[in-house]
Amino acid sequence: MNKIPYIVSAITIALAGLFAILNRFWTGFVYFVLALLLALSLFWAGWLIYKYFTDYKQELEERYSLWKANKLNTTQVSAEIISQNEAAYKKQFSKHMRKNKLVKWFEILICFALAVAFLVGMIFI
């Protein structure tokens, strides 16, 4: 399942390259190239959203346990204190991971921005 986006991307890019080469013979192939790139960017946006809502929650739990272990090793805090104040430590971890969430959503927005650019290119060419 992890290789699906790369297989789809490789096939789509190969087809877009073929249509770009065929553009020499008929200029209408530009629309095929732009349509394929539009579909590819929408596919990646959908894939990243799917991965965010399925795997990202599990990844956060794993990172929290590593962050908690690091906190135990680097500070004078015991495991009992962390378990008593779990909500406060989860909130602190959430603040720590805010940048990571913003980067993930920024990647999704870039995919949608590329889709809009390809759509605009199809309209104005």
Side-chain angles (χ1 to χ4, degrees):
M1 182 97 169
N2 291 335
K3 295 181 183 180
I4 290 174
Y6 302 112
I7 293 169
V8 169
S9 297
I11 292 170
T12 307
I13 290 172
L15 283 173
L18 176 68
F19 287 132
I21 292 170
L22 291 175
N23 185 29
R24 240 183 250 175
F25 304 111
W26 182 52
T27 56
F29 283 119
V30 170
Y31 293 105
F32 290 107
V33 173
L34 290 174
L36 284 171
L37 294 175
L38 172 70
L40 182 64
S41 60
L42 289 175
F43 169 77
W44 270 102
W47 182 259
L48 290 174
I49 290 171
Y50 169 74
K51 293 298 270 184
Y52 180 81
F53 286 116
T54 57
D55 294 344
Y56 189 66
K57 304 289 182 184
Q58 198 173 34
E59 183 182 331
L60 277 180
E61 289 298 321
E62 291 173 7
R63 284 189 180 190
Y64 176 69
S65 63
L66 291 173
W67 181 81
K68 189 166 59 170
N70 187 26
K71 187 67 99 174
L72 285 170
N73 291 334
T74 58
T75 61
Q76 299 293 332
V77 178
S78 67
E80 295 170 355
I81 294 173
I82 288 181
S83 64
Q84 290 173 356
N85 299 323
E86 190 79 27
Y89 282 103
K90 281 210 180 235
K91 186 175 181 181
Q92 186 179 2
F93 174 73
S94 177
K95 286 182 183 178
H96 180 72
M97 293 304 292
R98 192 171 292 152
K99 179 183 174 187
N100 191 6
K101 283 184 180 181
L102 287 175
V103 168
K104 294 238 184 237
W105 281 106
F106 187 67
E107 290 173 355
I108 294 168
L109 287 176
I110 285 175
C111 290
F112 281 122
L114 285 171
V116 168
F118 293 133
L119 185 64
V120 168
M122 286 174 64
I123 292 171
F124 290 115
I125 285 185

